Amino acid sequence: MSGVRSILCVCLGNICRSPLAEGILRREAANRGLDLTIDSAGTGGWHVGELPDPRARTEGAARGCDMSMCARQVQPDDFERFDLILAMDQSNVRELLRVPGARPEKIRMMRSFDPTARWSDEVPDPYYGDESHFTEVAEMIERAVEGLLDSIEEK
Ligand code: 4NP
């Protein structure tokens, strides 16, 4: 991952998992002094323009993250603008592959960087869960972000 300079985090609605991933990635990249372009988007458009879900904002703020981003939908030119596109689950991967001009080689599962996960593990959708699901999701993302940034920093 040493050539990666721009990362897009993707989930379904862009109001729960991918904004948390964006916030945690931004915080950790800043802590490590890494100059990375970081953004997030959803494969669906239902929540475009909205702030993250209040439960995601609470969880992210408690972890020292800026959670003031607005939801947007994945666009075809995201595959040109970003070196790495991180999907939270397998259905996100399937939807990303349907985007015109999709570059499959840029797509990876977020948890493929979590050392405690098997390669196939997902960041599950917490939308219909409670606050404890958001905490679990954030913990998975924290581990994956550490693993990802370690691999980007490897010479
Ligand atoms: P996210 O969660 O993909 O982690 O942002 C969801 C948010 C909204 C919906 C589904 C999942 N929804 O159906 O509106």
Side-chain angles (χ1 to χ4, degrees), residues 11-19 46-47 92 124-128:
C11 64
L12 176 59
N14 194 209
I15 55 167
C16 299
R17 293 165 291 176
S18 61
W46 311 281
H47 298 282
N92 303 151
D125 187 349
Y127 187 62
Y128 296 104

Side-chain angles (χ1 to χ4, degrees), residues 20-154:
L20 269 172
E22 176 186 345
I24 290 170
L25 252 179
R26 284 185 190 280
R27 187 203 68 206
E28 273 314 293
N31 279 348
R32 295 179 187 221
L34 288 173
D35 182 19
L36 296 172
T37 297
I38 297 162
D39 199 4
S40 66
T43 59
W46 311 281
H47 298 282
V48 167
E50 294 179 15
L51 284 169
D53 183 285
R55 297 164 295 177
R57 285 159 59 194
T58 299
E59 186 65 39
R63 292 168 186 272
C65 302
D66 176 7
M67 295 298 292
S68 63
M69 61 285 277
C70 285
R72 72 171 182 89
Q73 192 167 13
V74 172
Q75 303 297 320
D77 76 348
D78 286 325
F79 282 97
E80 307 308 320
R81 292 175 52 213
F82 293 94
D83 299 326
L84 178 64
I85 300 188
L86 291 173
M88 300 299 135
D89 64 31
Q90 291 289 350
S91 73
N92 303 151
V93 174
R94 284 193 294 276
E95 291 302 315
L96 282 164
L97 291 172
R98 290 161 54 94
V99 174
R103 301 265 298 269
E105 73 279 10
K106 292 190 171 185
I107 303 171
R108 289 280 301 266
M109 290 285 279
M110 181 87 194
R111 289 194 80 200
S112 66
F113 297 100
D114 174 354
T116 71
R118 300 190 318 238
W119 70 271
S120 60
D121 280 347
E122 302 186 327
V123 180
D125 187 349
Y127 187 62
Y128 296 104
D130 60 27
E131 284 80 358
S132 71
H133 294 87
F134 282 75
T135 300
E136 274 189 62
V137 156
E139 287 168 352
M140 292 172 187
I141 291 170
E142 293 271 10
R143 291 192 298 267
V145 162
E146 291 296 329
L148 170 60
L149 294 184
D150 286 349
S151 84
I152 287 175
E153 286 188 306
E154 265 170 25

